[in-house]
Amino acid sequence: MPTNTLPAPASHGLHLGAAFETLDSRVALDAPEVGAVAVVGLGYVGLPTALGLLAAGTEVIGIDVSAERLEAIQGCDVDLLPSDLERLKEFNGDPRFTLTDDPAALADARTVLVCVPTPVDRHLAPDLRALTSAAATVVEHAVPGQLLMLTSTTYVGTTRDLLTEPLTERGFTVGEDIFVAFSPERIDPGNASHTQDTTPRVVGGAGQETVDRAISVLSRTASSVYVLPSPEAAEMTKLWENTFRAVNIALANEFADNCRVLGLDPIPVIEAASTKPFGFMPFYPGPGVGGHCIPCDPHYLLWQLRAERVTSPLVEAAMNGIAGRPHHVVRRVREALGERGKPLTGARILIVGMAYKPGVEDLRESPALEIFDELVHEGAQVRFTDSMVRAARVAGGIQESVLAPEVHEWDLVLVHTVHPDADLAWLNDRDDVLDATYRLDGVAAKETL
């Protein structure tokens, strides 16, 4: 089946879709040969990517520096969507799926995808250690004819700095005997509505052969591929996507606070505004923002702009609002307790849900961690319950989830994250529930943030 080529707006790129019949025949007949694909980093992005490629009939070499992670994958003890977990069980032991911590295996791949985390440090500066190390390893083991593609969110120019220039120093001619591209990941952990096969991908690479090779790989798991003129444009696309979300989440939180001052519930207001068929997209307030994208990615842009002595006031204000949201939650906890004549010091507080979002075990950047620690610092006695998180490192130690919270005495219950399988009916008889989600269904929560 030939690939359909449609001009992008203003002819700045090509939107390349395909009339695919099944998930296992996602490549046009005239596409370049894909061969084995090495996936470097088997976390929340790399592992689902590897499983998607396997399902499309691709040989995959999964590489991770963590022996513990590789063991967890082999034991199917990992946080995945149910559909991906079934795929993992199917492909574990399959000769087309190799798991290793040996970077020498990179030489056996025709394509290398780098899917390592790019967090920020406690000063909100980019932490590029994992990406720099992974890219250096990929360059060291690169062989002629390979396509090397970064997918980790990062600053504009990373692909050039960490792949193109080092490869050139090794004697390669990028675009001729080796190929380099950037295609930001678009995986939404825990969300079965946004799977890889229904989500378009973007890619930027120099030269037609680079683009053709990238499309051959990406189209195996994506609904379509949008081609940009350079890796830098693709890098900026990812920053724009997630900064857009950060700014609008910060706005939603601010409007929710404004609604509270005016005695309004923000959720009906948002739902009413959502009836407008143009010019509005709903974003919802909450206790803060977690995960590997929204709290981190905009800081890569701000960090790079600071080096150019340039400011981005709107983005900076939004990120300040997001960073301060957990402290706002603690302030509301103090107020809610005060309204009941109880001080925060010594109060018995239960946090419901520690994961950063429903349906995942992921604690990375979860606002609940900061909320927990600040409450403890203020003298409260804090515990948590979470059906997906067995234990968490909080307040300087490891604490396990409370299995039967309804049998304990609490001065206040703070609802932070509600998993799809969570049974919170026991909250119905309480009048000390503070709902930080704003969307607690089926529970007569007395207060929101």
Side-chain angles (χ1 to χ4, degrees), residues 142-439:
V143 296
Q146 282 184 323
L147 167 66
L148 311 179
M149 186 153 46
L150 296 185
T151 72
S152 306
T153 307
T154 186
Y155 67 90
V156 176
T158 300
T159 308
R160 177 191 64 240
D161 293 347
L162 300 187
L163 289 184
T164 302
E165 292 180 356
L167 287 166
T168 302
E169 292 173 2
R170 270 201 63 191
F172 286 102
T173 301
V174 175
E176 293 184 12
D177 57 7
I178 202 161
F179 307 91
V180 173
F182 182 84
S183 178
E185 57 86 9
R186 280 178 169 172
I187 287 183
D188 190 2
N191 191 339
S193 300
H194 297 150
T195 57
Q196 292 184 77
D197 58 284
T198 60
T199 304
R201 291 288 292 271
V202 301
V203 67
Q208 189 60 48
E209 186 169 356
T210 300
V211 170
D212 290 343
R213 285 169 174 255
I215 291 170
S216 293
V217 175
L218 296 171
S219 60
R220 287 180 170 252
T221 60
S223 62
S224 60
V225 180
Y226 188 96
V227 178
L228 287 159
S230 67
E232 289 82 3
E235 290 160 348
M236 189 58 161
T237 297
K238 179 63 171 182
L239 294 175
W240 200 314
E241 291 174 10
N242 284 346
T243 302
F244 169 83
R245 290 175 64 194
V247 169
N248 280 280
I249 290 171
L251 179 64
N253 286 338
E254 190 169 305
F255 257 72
D257 295 345
N258 296 341
C259 282
R260 181 171 180 272
V261 170
L262 300 175
L264 296 169
D265 180 349
I267 300 305
V269 175
I270 295 170
E271 292 174 348
S274 298
T275 63
K276 184 180 180 181
F278 57 91
F280 184 82
M281 179 181 293
F283 285 81
Y284 293 90
V289 184
H292 64 294
C293 288
I294 309 306
C296 301
D297 296 354
H299 289 293
Y300 278 73
L301 175 63
L302 296 174
W303 171 79
Q304 190 170 19
L305 292 176
R306 282 196 295 271
E308 301 294 331
R309 303 294 191 271
V310 174
T311 62
S312 186
L314 180 60
V315 178
E316 291 173 359
M319 297 311 293
N320 287 337
I322 284 174
R325 193 64 176 174
H327 181 70
H328 171 81
V329 175
V330 173
R331 184 168 63 250
R332 284 289 297 123
V333 168
R334 182 185 293 107
E335 291 173 355
L337 286 167
E339 291 166 2
R340 294 168 176 78
K342 298 179 182 294
L344 180 55
T345 300
R348 296 162 298 184
I349 298 172
L350 177 72
I351 298 178
V352 176
M354 288 292 284
Y356 86 88
K357 65 182 291 190
V360 300
E361 301 171 10
D362 200 348
L363 289 173
R364 288 177 300 170
E365 309 297 333
S366 175
L369 298 174
E370 186 174 347
I371 293 166
F372 193 111
D373 287 355
E374 186 171 343
L375 287 171
V376 170
H377 180 74
E378 293 289 334
Q381 301 176 36
V382 189
R383 299 293 303 275
F384 79 89
T385 183
D386 191 306
S387 60
M388 299 192 70
V389 177
R390 306 169 204 170
R393 182 176 294 278
V394 287
I398 301 295
Q399 188 177 118
E400 294 184 353
S401 173
V402 176
L403 297 180
E406 66 275 10
V407 304
H408 297 274
E409 294 292 330
W410 310 106
D411 295 313
L412 185 136
V413 177
L414 171 65
V415 182
H416 178 277
T417 302
V418 179
H419 294 300
D421 64 345
D423 181 5
L424 300 182
W426 63 277
L427 295 179
N428 272 323
D429 297 329
R430 306 187 67 96
D431 63 356
D432 54 1
V433 178
L434 182 60
D435 177 20
T437 72
Y438 292 86
R439 310 190 76 185

Side-chain angles (χ1 to χ4, degrees), residues 108-127:
D108 298 327
R110 182 171 173 81
T111 300
V112 178
L113 303 180
V114 179
C115 308
V116 298
T118 49
V120 295
D121 63 22
R122 66 187 189 89
H123 302 293
L124 302 180
D127 182 351

